Amino acid sequence: MRRSEEREQVFKLLFRVEFNPMTDMAEQEELFSVDYSESDDLFINSDEYRLSEADSMKVRMRYERIAEKLPEIDAMINEKAKGWDTSRMAKVELTIIRLAVFEICFDDDIPTGVAINEAIELAKKYGQDSSSSFVNGVLARFA
């Protein structure tokens, strides 16, 4: 799996944090793995979305690294995003920003520019029309 595909899958799993208490996320991780690796009924062209067991494990491990730092990441976002608070941000944009901030601040393997560009692409794909500029504006403060 390419890094951008892995990032998108991590985004999808991380997005579930917005709708589930952290105590339920272990179950959500398991459901995510099943949804994307075993079910043929979820997608019209399901082979395209199927994750191997190894890829599923990589996504889950990356998610877990991010999840354990969420309070710290949110505090960093709240400090940098002048006039915005994580509680006021749209869920899609917040999830994308959390992922990118993790990559910028805690993942030495990913250059800052790549993290920002990938976040903008996710915002274009999953967010509203103005999402990419909002995400770019917040992340520019981390660059």
Side-chain angles (χ1 to χ4, degrees):
M1 172 181 341
R2 292 188 342 239
R3 179 77 84 150
S4 59
E5 292 168 337
E6 179 184 333
R7 183 178 286 107
E8 186 172 351
Q9 298 304 319
V10 171
F11 160 76
K12 290 176 180 178
L13 182 54
L14 187 59
F15 186 68
R16 294 180 183 208
V17 167
E18 293 302 313
F19 304 98
N20 298 282
M22 288 306 279
T23 54
D24 292 348
M25 284 307 294
E27 181 181 0
Q28 288 298 315
E29 286 182 63
E30 187 62 36
L31 290 171
F32 176 84
S33 297
V34 171
D35 287 351
Y36 283 99
S37 64
E38 296 175 10
S39 178
D40 287 334
D41 300 329
L42 291 176
F43 301 104
I44 294 170
N45 188 2
S46 61
D47 289 338
E48 209 175 299
Y49 294 93
R50 216 170 264 220
L51 292 179
S52 69
E53 190 172 325
D55 287 341
S56 178
M57 185 58 71
K58 280 175 44 178
V59 168
R60 289 175 68 179
M61 288 175 57
R62 189 159 175 79
Y63 156 77
E64 288 171 5
R65 288 180 52 212
I66 297 168
E68 69 186 30
K69 295 211 177 278
L70 275 182
E72 187 177 350
I73 291 169
D74 284 354
M76 294 168 74
I77 294 168
N78 287 332
E79 181 183 315
K80 298 270 189 187
K82 302 294 182 207
W84 284 93
D85 185 79
T86 53
S87 65
R88 291 184 51 226
M89 292 181 186
K91 293 176 181 356
V92 168
E93 287 85 353
L94 176 58
T95 303
I96 293 168
I97 292 168
R98 284 172 167 167
L99 176 57
V101 168
F102 174 82
E103 291 180 345
I104 292 167
C105 298
F106 301 105
D107 192 336
D108 295 333
D109 294 337
I110 300 173
T112 298
V114 171
I116 292 172
N117 287 338
E118 291 289 330
I120 291 168
E121 291 305 313
L122 284 172
K124 287 177 182 176
K125 184 171 183 177
Y126 292 102
Q128 299 176 9
D129 291 339
S130 61
S131 295
S132 59
S133 60
F134 177 73
V135 167
N136 186 43
V138 173
L139 294 178
R141 295 176 185 260
F142 287 90

